[in-house]
Amino acid sequence: MLDDFLIRAALAGIGLTLATGPLGAFVVWRRMAYFGDATAHAAILGVALSFGFGLSVYIGTLAVALGMALTVASLSGRGHAMDTVLGVLAHSALAFGLVAASFFSGLRVDLSAWLFGDILAVSRADLAIVWGGALAVLGLMLWRWQGLLTATLNEELAQASGLNPRRERLALTLALALTVAVSIKIVGALLIAALLIIPAATARQLARTPEAMAMGAVGCGAASVMAGLLASMQFDTPAGPSIVAAAACLFVLSLGVRRRA
C-alpha cells in the first residue's frame, strides 16, 4: 500500500496539471515560454522576501511573480524587445533572489528544494492551496477561453469582436503568476516552465482542436507526474526533475507517433 506522502504528492501533482495544462497551451500558442521562465525565476526572490518579512511563501511568491509578469507586460507594450526585457528581468530576479536567500541560514540550507521542488514534502495544507489555486486558474481559463483563444489567433479580429486583447493578456498574466505561486514547492522555480511547456507541446503533436490540446496537456501532465513519482521511488532520484524527465520522454514518444500517423 502506498504511503500517505506518496498519495499527497500524486494528488498535488495531478491538481497542478489542471492549471498547467490549459495555461501551458496558451504559453505554447503565444510563444511565451521565456515569459513563464522569467516569472518562475522571480519566484525565488519571492521566497526570500517571504522569509525576511515572515510571510507565507505562497503569498510572497504570488506577489513577486505577479509584479514580474505585470512589469514585463508593461515594458513590452512600450516597444521594448520582449526577449531582451525577459532576459534582463529573469536573470536579475533570480540573482537578487539567490543573494537575498544567502542572508537567511534556514533558507540557504533548503534552497535546492525551492529551486528544484520537493513534492514528497507536500502537506495537507499545501495540498489544499495547490488544488485551490489550480481550480482558480482552471476557472479563469474556462471563463475567458473564447476571448483568450480569439485574441491569441488574431488581435485585430478580437478587437472587431468587441474584445480587449490587453485584458486577455492580463488574464493570462494573473493565471501564470498564480500557477507559479502554487507550484513553487512541487517542482521548484527552475522546473515550473518545463511543466507548463512540455505537456502542452506533447499534446500539440496529437490534438486536432484547441480544446483537445488543452485537455491532452492535462492528461500528459498527470501521466508525467505519476511516471516521475514511480521512477523517483524506483531509482531514488529527485521527484521534481524525474517528473519533468518523464514529460520529456512523453514528448519524444509523441514525435514518433505523429510521424507514423
Side-chain angles (χ1 to χ4, degrees):
M1 186 173 178
L2 294 176
D3 293 324
D4 285 347
F5 73 92
L6 281 174
I7 295 174
R8 288 197 301 271
L11 289 174
I14 292 171
L16 181 60
T17 62
L18 295 177
T20 58
L23 181 58
F26 282 103
V27 169
V28 170
W29 290 329
R30 286 175 170 259
R31 300 181 180 179
M32 293 172 60
Y34 208 4
F35 185 93
D37 216 24
T39 307
H41 284 181
I44 290 298
L45 179 58
V47 171
L49 293 177
S50 298
F51 271 72
F53 291 99
L55 301 173
S56 165
V57 169
Y58 293 109
I59 294 176
T61 303
L62 176 60
V64 173
L66 185 57
M68 168 65 82
L70 291 174
T71 298
V72 171
S74 174
L75 291 177
S76 62
R78 296 178 184 177
H80 295 273
M82 178 66 86
D83 57 343
T84 302
V85 170
L86 289 172
V88 171
L89 291 179
H91 298 298
S92 298
L94 181 59
F96 278 113
L98 294 174
V99 169
S102 68
F103 291 99
F104 308 104
S105 58
L107 179 56
R108 189 165 59 240
V109 171
D110 296 331
L111 192 57
S112 62
W114 298 108
L115 288 171
F116 301 105
D118 192 4
I119 192 172
L120 298 179
V122 170
S123 66
R124 286 184 172 85
D126 293 326
L127 194 58
I129 291 173
V130 168
W131 272 85
L135 289 175
V137 171
L138 180 60
L140 179 61
M141 292 289 99
L142 291 174
W143 176 44
R144 302 303 311 165
W145 178 263
Q146 196 56 52
L148 286 168
L149 193 59
T150 303
T152 298
L153 293 174
N154 191 316
E155 289 197 356
E156 293 181 356
L157 176 61
Q159 288 178 330
S161 302
L163 297 171
N164 185 344
R166 291 191 64 182
R167 184 180 62 190
E168 306 307 328
R169 285 197 298 270
L170 179 60
L172 277 180
T173 297
L174 292 171
L176 185 59
L178 184 55
T179 301
V180 167
V182 300
S183 61
I184 183 72
K185 192 169 185 177
I186 296 178
V187 292
L190 299 184
L191 301 178
I192 292 172
L195 197 58
L196 278 167
I197 298 164
I198 299 176
T202 302
R204 190 178 194 178
Q205 306 298 321
L206 308 172
R208 295 182 180 272
T209 65
E211 292 77 13
M213 178 176 164
M215 290 187 290
V218 173
C220 291
S224 300
V225 168
M226 298 306 297
L229 288 175
L230 289 174
S232 176
M233 186 170 56
Q234 181 71 26
F235 302 110
D236 194 25
T237 54
S242 296
I243 290 171
V244 177
C249 291
L250 284 179
F251 175 72
V252 173
L253 289 174
S254 73
L255 293 177
V257 171
R258 185 177 184 182
R259 289 196 185 98
R260 292 181 183 179

